[in-house]
Amino acid sequence: MHTTDLKQSDSITKTFWRFTIPAIAAMIVNGLYQLVDGIFVGHYIGAEGLAAINIAWPVIAVVGGLGLMVGMGAGSLVSIYRGEGNLHKARSAMATGLVLALGLAIVASVYLYCLSASLIGLQGASGLAHGYASDYLMVFELGALATVVAGALPFLIRNDDSPFVATSMMVVGALTNIVLDYLFIGVMSWGLKGAAFATVLAQLVSVVIGLAYLCSSRSFLGVFRHKVKLSFADAKQSLVLGCSSLVMFMYYGVLVGFHNRLFAEYGTPVSVAAFAVVGYLMTLYYVVAEGIAEGMQPQVSFYHGEKSYAKIANVAKLASLVSLVAGLAWLAVLNVFPDVVIGMFSSGNEALLQQATLGIRLHLSAMYLDGLIILASMYFLSVGKGGKALGISVANMLVQFPFLYVLPKFYGVEGVWLAMPISNIVLASIVLPVMWNDIYRQKRKQFALTHAIA
């Protein structure tokens, strides 16, 4: 992000799209890892395979979340230092983030080895679904390094002023995943284990591209071309800032696990598979909302370092409008053409179609609010208020549990579907006013200070 561009007020919208479009593209590409796996698994393995991959996902979410935590935390710190004009500290934060990613990858491997079997059992998995999920996670025990580093690198590179490179490495990885999914699942019939191998190898390709960029002369900070010292303070701050992103990722994983358990209890194995399909469809909006938030982050962090709070308000307004419009548009498509979108994951399973359609009508009815909640968490992370960002992420998870406990007792499967939209309405009514109050309080403070000096 070039300082000269950001000094001009009329460049705010242009800069927003410059970072947001690649960020959305990158997140969509990242979402394709899951989506493509779901399409191939649904058509080649069936409902049991869809249920299994949905059971494995909450377990693997922690691994992906560790990479996201490092990328968002260290990336935000890099942009804040750049906004202050301190490139030496920005390089130190970048190098510290890379080392953190390597260390947490080891932690992730140990976590999967020790806990994956127990976490599968807690979700009520049995029969083929249990075996498929175990096969899937066993591959990630060995490939956690690729998963964590691939999760962190795009955000570090984006804050190195290279959103196009960050997007490109993920596009190449996604295309690799599609080819390998076809080869391992469709041709070689490796089942869920093949889907896992395809994902890990594709992530490894992304990592190689990202590291090649950071070692090249194209890297703005040139972290490998300058002497840098690792900073314990930067490591701690990166974890604090990025913790909300980890919790947000874990929140989704934990809630998927709870939903899996409740659908197994109140419904049938097809209900779990239908939830997997609805989850994939929600992911297509979720990654767009996440991309909008992540595209906003470097700009807001820079303006925060520059103390340009009026510009932060303009960026937050634009990001909120784009997120809201995207959510409502996708919700309209899903409700008008449910057969078409569900058909991507099924070969004529009528029971799956009926239950997934019900899920679209109920479960996704307020998903656009989830995008605004993500935006609020990212705003606080971007301005260095990691505690508030973490609080929003934790609240996003905790607020659903009472509804998940009560509603199924009265409404059965429909109650499970309804828990998320109701909790989104409750949380958004609290979080969004808090975010806008913070933005305008800073803006008013700056206005008063400016006029006092004048």
Side-chain angles (χ1 to χ4, degrees), residues 243-293:
C243 188
S244 62
S245 296
L246 170 63
V247 172
M248 185 70 79
F249 224 71
M250 290 178 64
Y251 132 76
Y252 189 61
V254 168
L255 287 175
V256 168
F258 268 87
H259 279 81
N260 285 337
R261 178 80 185 193
L262 290 170
F263 278 121
E265 180 179 349
Y266 289 95
T268 66
V270 175
S271 302
V272 180
F275 177 57
V277 172
V278 173
Y280 286 126
L281 297 176
M282 181 179 175
T283 295
L284 288 175
Y285 168 66
Y286 191 88
V287 295
V288 170
E290 187 76 29
I292 293 167

Side-chain angles (χ1 to χ4, degrees), residues 385 388 436-445:
K385 298 180 179 179
K388 286 189 176 181
W436 286 109
N437 180 64
D438 188 86
I439 291 173
Y440 283 109
R441 182 174 57 82
Q442 294 288 354
K443 186 178 176 181
R444 288 192 298 269
K445 183 178 177 182

Side-chain angles (χ1 to χ4, degrees), residues 88-128:
H88 176 73
K89 293 189 75 172
R91 292 188 186 103
S92 175
M94 175 80 75
T96 301
L98 292 171
V99 173
L100 269 178
L102 293 175
L104 290 175
I106 298 173
V107 173
S109 291
V110 173
Y111 150 76
L112 289 175
Y113 178 77
C114 295
L115 297 177
S116 59
S118 298
L119 293 174
I120 290 173
L122 283 175
Q123 296 178 69
S126 60
L128 282 175

Side-chain angles (χ1 to χ4, degrees), residues 143-176:
L145 176 64
T147 302
V148 173
V149 177
L153 274 179
F155 306 106
L156 293 174
I157 290 173
R158 185 174 299 122
N159 284 279
D160 188 50
D161 199 31
S162 295
F164 178 77
V165 174
T167 302
S168 297
M169 62 183 278
M170 298 178 74
V171 169
V172 173
L175 293 175
T176 303

Side-chain angles (χ1 to χ4, degrees), residues 165-190:
V165 174
T167 302
S168 297
M169 62 183 278
M170 298 178 74
V171 169
V172 173
L175 293 175
T176 303
N177 187 48
I178 292 172
V179 173
L180 293 180
D181 264 336
Y182 173 73
L183 178 64
F184 294 157
I185 302 175
V187 177
M188 302 177 70
S189 301
W190 285 5

Side-chain angles (χ1 to χ4, degrees), residues 390-449:
L390 176 60
I392 292 172
S393 298
V394 171
N396 206 359
M397 177 172 61
L398 296 181
V399 72
Q400 294 196 40
F401 291 138
F403 296 108
L404 283 170
Y405 178 77
V406 173
L407 291 177
K409 295 182 181 298
F410 292 95
Y411 303 106
V413 171
E414 290 187 359
V416 184
W417 287 122
L418 283 168
M420 188 185 77
I422 294 175
S423 64
N424 278 350
I425 293 169
V426 171
L427 185 61
S429 66
I430 299 170
V431 166
L432 299 182
V434 170
M435 179 186 76
W436 286 109
N437 180 64
D438 188 86
I439 291 173
Y440 283 109
R441 182 174 57 82
Q442 294 288 354
K443 186 178 176 181
R444 288 192 298 269
K445 183 178 177 182
Q446 182 185 31
F447 180 81
L449 181 62

